[in-house]
Amino acid sequence: MHTELDQAYFESLVDFQAAGERVSVCLRSLTADSDLLRFMVRYASWNGSFSNGVSRLASEIGNCRDLFREKGFPRAASDRSNYVASFIFDAARDEYDDHVLPMRDTHRCMAQAGLMSMAEFLQLGHAILDEEEPIDLVRLNDRVGRGYGGQALAMCGVIGCVFAGIGYHLGSELLADQEFSMIDQHLRSSRNDLVQHLMRSTVKLAGGEHRCYAWVGVHSGHGGGVEADHFDLALRGVRAAFEFLVGDERVRKVATTAVSEGFKAFERDHQSFFAMSTLATAGATPA
């Protein structure tokens, strides 16, 4: 069953074209400099939740020794939960340190450096950066943790939660690769002056000089494309999870359903973020 879980399968679960269109609509609504900065602040906030979620998921998988075992080995040498978790943890490894520079360069620090430099270039001061996050965004960030924990779904049991969390992670990586690339393209086409400034700039925070366009650059397909790499690793992880999953066909069916539902749960959160962002920048209040 796991051999069917490829990129084409996951793209078939949601309207991938519609996902891209809602990103495009949101970006086109950013008509003022303040709109653009506020969007990027909120986008960075939402993305900042994923590193913690993926770390939690890797830990949960690693603790499930009796769920993932390889046949033909004695018990003490048969559990493969850490092996499965390693493919998920690779995404967290990059999030917590990009490994390009000798200093500790987290993706969150990269994002914050970009926000600081963007505010300076746009001559907007720190007012927008000091704004409290809207309650809808706070709730959405909370849902990220629940999504990675498989708790966003009405499923019980360890199998459902673990595989739903893997599906949520797959959704976050696949759709993020698309949206970061679209943001990069939008900025380069509409505000290349800003992009060039960010590419030349660094900001010192957390004890190091952080590159100001690196966060967008490394996540988009036009830059380093880490999201695409993370999605490929997550696919390897979910296939390993099915390879070593203990149980009969009924257990595999539960796991397959959970992966699919977890992926769709992320897509719903993706809809929520870009809907609230488009409404906010258009001056409306989300319902």
Side-chain angles (χ1 to χ4, degrees), residues 44-123:
S45 173
W46 183 43
N47 275 263
S49 301
F50 290 100
S51 54
N52 305 323
V54 75
S55 299
R56 172 186 177 183
L57 175 61
S59 295
E60 291 296 332
I61 295 170
N63 284 330
C64 293
R65 293 183 180 179
D66 286 333
L67 192 60
F68 303 108
R69 291 193 176 272
E70 186 171 5
K71 295 179 181 178
F73 288 85
R75 182 175 180 80
S78 68
D79 57 87
R80 299 293 175 261
S81 57
N82 278 17
Y83 177 78
V84 174
S86 71
F87 294 101
I88 308 301
F89 185 74
D90 270 317
R93 196 195 317 272
D94 286 341
E95 288 287 340
Y96 286 119
D97 187 11
D98 196 58
H99 302 290
V100 174
L101 301 175
M103 66 178 184
R104 181 70 59 177
D105 199 16
T106 71
H107 285 185
R108 180 69 176 150
C109 284
M110 285 182 182
Q112 291 168 331
L115 296 176
M116 291 287 290
S117 187
M118 183 179 291
E120 177 187 15
F121 181 80
L122 298 175
Q123 300 181 357

Side-chain angles (χ1 to χ4, degrees), residues 36-202:
L36 176 60
L37 180 59
R38 184 171 287 110
F39 167 78
M40 292 303 293
V41 167
R42 294 177 181 181
Y43 187 62
S45 173
W46 183 43
N47 275 263
S49 301
F50 290 100
S51 54
N52 305 323
V54 75
S55 299
R56 172 186 177 183
L57 175 61
S59 295
E60 291 296 332
I61 295 170
N63 284 330
C64 293
R65 293 183 180 179
D66 286 333
L67 192 60
F68 303 108
R69 291 193 176 272
E70 186 171 5
K71 295 179 181 178
F73 288 85
R75 182 175 180 80
S78 68
D79 57 87
R80 299 293 175 261
S81 57
N82 278 17
Y83 177 78
V84 174
S86 71
F87 294 101
I88 308 301
F89 185 74
D90 270 317
R93 196 195 317 272
D94 286 341
E95 288 287 340
Y96 286 119
D97 187 11
D98 196 58
H99 302 290
V100 174
L101 301 175
M103 66 178 184
R104 181 70 59 177
D105 199 16
T106 71
H107 285 185
R108 180 69 176 150
C109 284
M110 285 182 182
Q112 291 168 331
L115 296 176
M116 291 287 290
S117 187
M118 183 179 291
E120 177 187 15
F121 181 80
L122 298 175
Q123 300 181 357
L124 292 172
H126 291 171
I128 291 176
L129 275 61
D130 273 330
E131 288 177 354
E132 293 286 340
E133 294 178 341
I135 187 62
D136 286 348
L137 180 57
V138 173
R139 290 170 178 164
L140 182 60
N141 287 347
D142 288 342
R143 288 212 301 272
V144 171
R146 296 198 298 274
Y148 271 103
Q151 298 172 10
L153 307 173
M155 286 184 166
C156 6
V158 173
I159 296 173
C161 287
V162 165
F163 280 87
I166 294 174
Y168 192 90
H169 175 56
L170 283 159
S172 74
E173 299 294 358
L174 183 60
L175 289 174
D177 179 61
Q178 179 190 49
E179 71 203 30
F180 266 105
S181 297
M182 294 180 70
I183 290 170
D184 179 48
Q185 183 176 7
H186 174 79
L187 291 174
R188 289 178 186 273
S189 62
S190 66
R191 292 306 306 265
N192 193 50
D193 57 339
L194 172 61
V195 172
Q196 294 305 313
H197 167 78
L198 294 174
M199 291 179 70
R200 293 190 302 266
S201 303
T202 61

